[in-house]
Amino acid sequence: MKLLIKSAKVIQPSSEFHQQQVDILIEDGVIASIKPKIDERADQILEIENLHLSEGWFDSSVSFGEPGYEERETLENGLLTAAKSGFTQLGLNSNINPIADHASALNFLQKENEKQAVRVYPIAALTKHSEGKDLAEVYDMHHAGAVSFYDYKKPVNNPNLLKIALQYVQNFDGLVQSFPLDESIAHKGYVHENKQSTILGLKGIPSFAEELQISRDLHVLEYTGGKLHIPTLSTKKAVALIREAKKKGLDVSCSVAVHQLVFHNDKLETFNSHFKVMPPLRSKEDQEALVEGVKDGTIDMVTTDHMPIDIENKKVEFENALFGTIGLESAFGALNALLGLEKTIDLLTKAKKRFHIPTSLIKEGKMANFSFFNPKGNYTFAPQHIYSSSKNAMFLNHSLTGKALGVYAQKNLVLHESDS
């Protein structure tokens, strides 16, 4: 099959075609030709106003629901949502039922890989049943396709277990993740602890619950060596701790959720449970420090931290609502509005190296793996922009700039339907 992409601007600094407007001919999934103008018969022609493309985007922390929570999201629709949102590769978390803590569970998560444009790279559980007691079968899961090991949103409370994990995975260059939360400090809190949380009568989580855990984890990493990833930072001091650790030469990386870069805890005044996430939205000062950490490279990557929650568990009293927001659909528009186009594309692709995900150079003879987008145009994110089965979107009614249009990957073209 031949696909001809007409008049697309390439955004990939490592490509000779960066910032050039070109036609691209794809034959059987391979880039056959890239020229200013191609006049050749094709089975399908893609021509969209102000079309831009880059290499396919990767998100390092995505949750769906299947198996166990299909009412939240299925694998099939989740991957379709990702494709329409511009993503071609996902790190899929282990928080299903049963927990993905063995090789056969990972095989299930990858069952759609040959059918869909989006490819799943499992983030396997670090411990059995994600209970934090015994190390899971990480070596077997590594061979089954796991790109990292992480008990989703659960800290490694036992420092000796973290020590053993970091030492063990060095045998195969594995990546351990440790969620930054000291549960003994956080206790039963669910929002940022400050004067506002007291006034609102909401139970708070102090910033130092995150910072204390990060400090401990970095000390363990300094002792053991190995590779550590700390997902979804939320505080100013956490950024400073990572910055200092990198100066010391520790092999540590970190991420921030897109919503933490855009919102802060003033949103809690409405008691809207869409804004209940873990880690919680912090202060404006924390938010600004996170943006600065992204700009100066201290924070290595962004994630949507996409977490569908069914209406029965989200549209309830704030205290009883489950943590989480969906974010795949709004990620590009939010980042583009905040940071500009080239920085946005860099952030949506640079995590691949850390997770050993294949990159894709836009060059003749290479397999085509593209994300399509239009970086122009402001609009308000609305229900018709949501493709997920669950609708718990923090970005509803927020102004975004530019839209993801779809993807071409694994010989599949997926475009979102026109919306208003």
Side-chain angles (χ1 to χ4, degrees):
M1 178 182 172
K2 291 184 179 181
L3 170 67
L4 180 57
I5 301 170
K6 298 291 291 182
S7 192
K9 180 174 278 191
V10 175
I11 306 296
Q12 188 181 49
S14 58
S15 169
E16 62 182 294
F17 301 102
H18 178 54
Q19 290 288 4
Q20 295 184 34
Q21 197 156 320
V22 296
D23 291 357
I24 301 176
L25 181 65
I26 301 170
E27 295 186 25
D28 197 28
V30 177
I31 302 172
S33 181
I34 306 178
K35 294 179 181 177
K37 189 172 180 61
I38 297 175
D39 292 312
E40 187 169 331
R41 282 179 169 272
D43 301 288
Q44 191 169 1
I45 296 175
L46 178 61
E47 191 167 11
I48 300 175
E49 184 180 357
N50 200 35
L51 179 63
H52 287 58
L53 63 81
S54 69
E55 74 167 290
W57 304 339
F58 168 68
D59 190 340
S60 63
S61 180
V62 173
S63 303
F64 291 144
E66 186 181 4
Y69 305 105
E70 288 85 353
E71 71 279 7
R72 299 178 185 176
E73 189 61 278
T74 63
L75 274 172
E76 182 179 7
N77 190 67
L79 294 176
L80 184 61
T81 295
K84 290 179 178 180
S85 304
F87 292 86
T88 65
Q89 294 144 309
L90 300 178
L92 192 58
N93 290 311
S94 62
N95 54 329
I96 50 177
N97 188 17
I99 295 287
D101 62 356
H102 54 281
S104 60
L106 304 194
N107 293 334
F108 179 87
L109 293 179
Q110 297 172 94
K111 70 172 184 164
E112 297 286 333
N113 273 352
E114 303 307 315
K115 307 174 191 175
Q116 301 241 23
V118 180
R119 187 170 185 85
V120 166
Y121 293 88
I123 308 292
L126 179 65
T127 65
K128 292 179 180 179
H129 311 299
S130 287
E131 291 177 346
K133 297 177 181 178
D134 301 300
L135 202 62
E137 299 168 354
V138 294
Y139 184 73
D140 289 345
M141 291 192 292
H142 164 70
H143 283 286
V147 294
S148 181
F149 305 96
Y150 173 35
D151 293 337
Y152 181 71
K153 300 296 184 185
K154 295 181 178 180
V156 184
N157 290 322
N158 183 347
N160 189 56
L161 182 62
L162 179 62
K163 174 181 78 85
I164 292 169
L166 285 167
Q167 290 172 329
Y168 185 74
V169 301
Q170 290 178 50
N171 294 312
F172 51 87
D173 195 30
L175 179 64
V176 170
Q177 298 193 48
S178 178
F179 185 65
L181 183 72
D182 186 311
E183 291 183 316
S184 63
I185 301 295
H187 197 46
K188 295 183 180 180
Y190 47 85
V191 299
H192 175 57
E193 182 180 88
N194 65 354
K195 181 179 179 180
Q196 182 200 39
S197 65
T198 303
I199 292 172
L200 295 175
L202 301 175
K203 296 176 182 176
I205 300 175
S207 295
F208 83 96
E210 177 171 313
E211 297 147 7
L212 189 64
Q213 189 81 3
I214 291 175
S215 181
R216 187 211 70 174
D217 289 351
L218 292 174
H219 278 295
V220 175
L221 178 65
E222 188 171 13
Y223 175 80
T224 61
K227 295 165 61 174
L228 179 66
H229 179 72
I230 299 177
T232 57
L233 302 189
S234 71
T235 77
K236 179 179 180 179
K237 190 170 181 180
V239 178
L241 287 167
I242 298 294
R243 188 177 287 122
E244 187 61 31
K246 289 185 172 184
K247 287 180 182 178
K248 293 168 70 173
L250 298 186
D251 194 350
V252 61
S253 58
C254 62
S255 67
V256 63
V258 176
H259 52 260
Q260 296 281 3
L261 299 174
V262 177
F263 300 110
H264 54 87
N265 65 321
D266 68 338
K267 291 291 183 181
L268 300 181
E269 293 177 358
T270 64
F271 294 92
N272 184 342
S273 61
H274 288 334
F275 294 95
K276 185 178 180 181
V277 288
M278 178 58 70
L281 295 176
R282 298 288 186 181
S283 69
K284 184 171 179 57
E285 183 181 15
D286 290 314
Q287 176 205 4
E288 291 171 348
L290 292 169
V291 173
E292 185 58 35
V294 166
K295 289 180 176 179
D296 69 19
T298 300
I299 297 175
D300 301 270
M301 62 195 76
V302 298
T303 173
T304 66
D305 207 20
H306 182 86
M307 180 62 188
I309 301 294
D310 54 288
I311 192 170
E312 288 81 6
N313 284 298
K314 199 60 171 171
K315 199 171 183 180
V316 294
E317 297 86 352
F318 193 94
E319 182 178 0
N320 297 325
L322 295 184
F323 294 105
T325 179
I326 58 172
L328 287 169
E329 299 96 317
S330 53
F332 174 75
L335 289 170
N336 187 38
L338 181 67
L339 300 169
L341 180 57
E342 291 211 22
K343 185 64 175 177
T344 294
I345 301 304
D346 178 53
L347 289 168
L348 291 173
T349 55
K350 67 185 298 187
K352 293 182 183 183
K353 183 178 180 181
R354 185 62 167 173
F355 286 82
H356 295 297
I357 308 301
T359 58
S360 46
L361 184 64
I362 300 173
K363 180 179 180 181
E364 291 179 0
K366 299 291 186 180
M367 291 297 295
N369 186 292
F370 298 150
S371 295
F372 301 118
F373 49 95
N374 179 351
K376 299 296 184 182
N378 297 326
Y379 65 102
T380 300
F381 190 71
Q384 67 263 29
H385 301 126
I386 296 176
Y387 317 123
S388 300
S389 299
S390 293
K391 311 302 177 184
N392 55 308
M394 188 184 293
F395 279 93
L396 277 172
N397 302 315
H398 187 76
S399 179
L400 306 180
T401 302
K403 290 183 181 180
L405 303 175
V407 302
Y408 180 87
Q410 301 197 130
K411 303 181 183 180
N412 287 310
L413 175 65
V414 180
L415 301 174
H416 74 60
E417 300 83 0
S418 297
D419 48 42
S420 56

